[in-house]
Amino acid sequence: MSAASSASAVSVQFRAAYDAVLAEWPAPVTSREVPTPYGLTRINSCGPVGAPPLVLLPGGGATSTVWGAVVAAGAGRTHRVHAVDLVGEPGLSVPAEGRAIRTPQDLAGWLDAVLDGLDGLDGLDGSGAPGPVTLAGHSYGAWIAAHYATRHPRRLARLVLLDPAQVFAGLRPGYVLRALPMLARPTPARIRSFLRWETGGADLDPAWLRLRDETARFPTVRPVTGPRPGPAGLDRFPLHILFAERARCHDSARAAATARAALPGARVETLPGVSHHALPLLAAEAIARSLAG
């Protein structure tokens, strides 16, 4: 997909819904586009300039706006938050023409370029790559973060994985079957039905749900797949892993046990009463405490 076609395909309704969720964030937000070899990456930043940088990667389809509750719960006071729209996913990032992200290595190259661009976002001197960052990701974003961490550990001060998908456990077949109609032919009704099922009917932010409705009309791009990131390299910095007790995508208890066995130095917790897709919205205080260190 070319940058021009991707940009034109973002509907007025999608942009309005996106901006409505971003308007709920509790702090002034600076929105910029960072150039990378794979296209322009939209980053929504807030929090004290000069504070330790925190980079947040959302789950598939969630967009960077999903982190508003985490910012409100305290992350925006302790860090300079940079919430990223994944290239090729719903959001305001624009893929480059003829340069699709196809492999975990491509994703690592893309994220490396994003981190290189952080310095210039806040009007700093841009004399080089910024210092180590705290990197956090949810679901697919956690899979990306883990792959990046194994390749570029020196760029990270801390890593936080929030109910990581396909890192310590595979997806349950029943979850995949339930998601297939939504993935194959997304509609607002199918998205809402799937989220009601996975979250057990949890009370999610209405503005964010309206944005999720609009993602049904977003150009679809095949998500990057590949092997699970191995634990080698994930023990080179402080690592915190939070699992959602009621996740339907995987067996969270088994995944947590696997994580503890593979990474005995990591801090591994299971958050009670919350599902996989509701985690950033309904467990924001626990997540903010984790991100604070």
Side-chain angles (χ1 to χ4, degrees):
M1 181 193 312
S2 70
S5 63
S6 176
S8 64
V10 176
S11 69
V12 172
Q13 293 87 347
F14 179 90
R15 183 59 185 261
Y18 184 104
D19 289 344
V21 182
L22 205 58
E24 295 181 339
W25 285 35
V29 177
T30 301
S31 300
R32 306 281 179 82
E33 283 73 40
V34 170
T36 78
Y38 298 94
L40 294 175
T41 297
R42 170 66 174 252
I43 301 179
N44 295 309
S45 305
C46 66
V49 174
L54 166 63
V55 176
L56 299 174
L57 305 180
T63 81
S64 62
T65 66
V66 77
W67 297 109
V70 173
V71 171
R77 294 190 295 271
T78 60
H79 289 81
R80 180 63 172 168
V81 175
H82 302 287
V84 179
D85 278 345
L86 305 178
V87 169
E89 285 281 322
L92 299 183
S93 292
V94 183
E97 185 173 3
R99 192 72 188 272
I101 294 178
R102 302 185 187 280
T103 67
Q105 185 63 41
D106 291 341
L107 282 169
W110 161 75
L111 186 52
D112 218 34
V114 169
L115 297 190
D116 284 343
L118 293 185
D119 201 17
L121 284 183
D122 293 325
L124 303 179
D125 61 16
S127 58
V133 306
T134 294
L135 178 63
H138 171 237
S139 187
Y140 178 50
W143 183 82
I144 296 171
H147 269 291
Y148 182 80
T150 63
R151 291 168 167 80
H152 302 283
R154 293 183 180 179
R155 301 209 66 173
L156 303 186
R158 296 180 64 238
L159 178 65
V160 180
L161 304 179
L162 304 173
D163 214 38
Q166 305 215 80
V167 176
F168 301 103
L171 297 178
R172 283 172 163 158
Y175 174 88
V176 175
L177 287 173
R178 188 77 183 224
L180 275 177
M182 176 190 68
L183 297 174
R185 191 177 177 186
T187 66
R190 287 179 173 181
I191 291 171
R192 293 260 184 154
S193 175
F194 177 78
L195 289 174
R196 279 195 300 270
W197 169 77
E198 200 284 324
T199 66
D203 186 16
L204 304 179
D205 175 30
W208 182 79
L209 283 173
R210 284 194 293 274
L211 176 57
R212 287 293 277 125
D213 289 346
E214 292 300 326
T215 66
R217 303 175 180 88
F218 204 87
T220 56
V221 175
R222 182 184 294 275
V224 176
T225 58
R228 296 183 198 173
L234 294 180
D235 56 357
R236 300 181 192 178
F237 34 74
L239 171 62
H240 193 180
I241 310 167
L242 290 86
F243 290 97
E245 180 192 36
R246 294 187 178 178
R248 290 181 181 257
C249 59
H250 51 216
D251 185 326
S252 57
R254 181 174 295 177
T258 299
R260 291 188 182 98
L263 297 160
R267 181 181 169 193
V268 181
E269 295 184 62
T270 299
L271 299 182
V274 65
S275 75
H276 177 78
H277 290 279
L279 190 66
L281 298 168
L282 301 186
E285 291 185 3
I287 293 170
R289 286 195 298 270
S290 170
L291 296 173

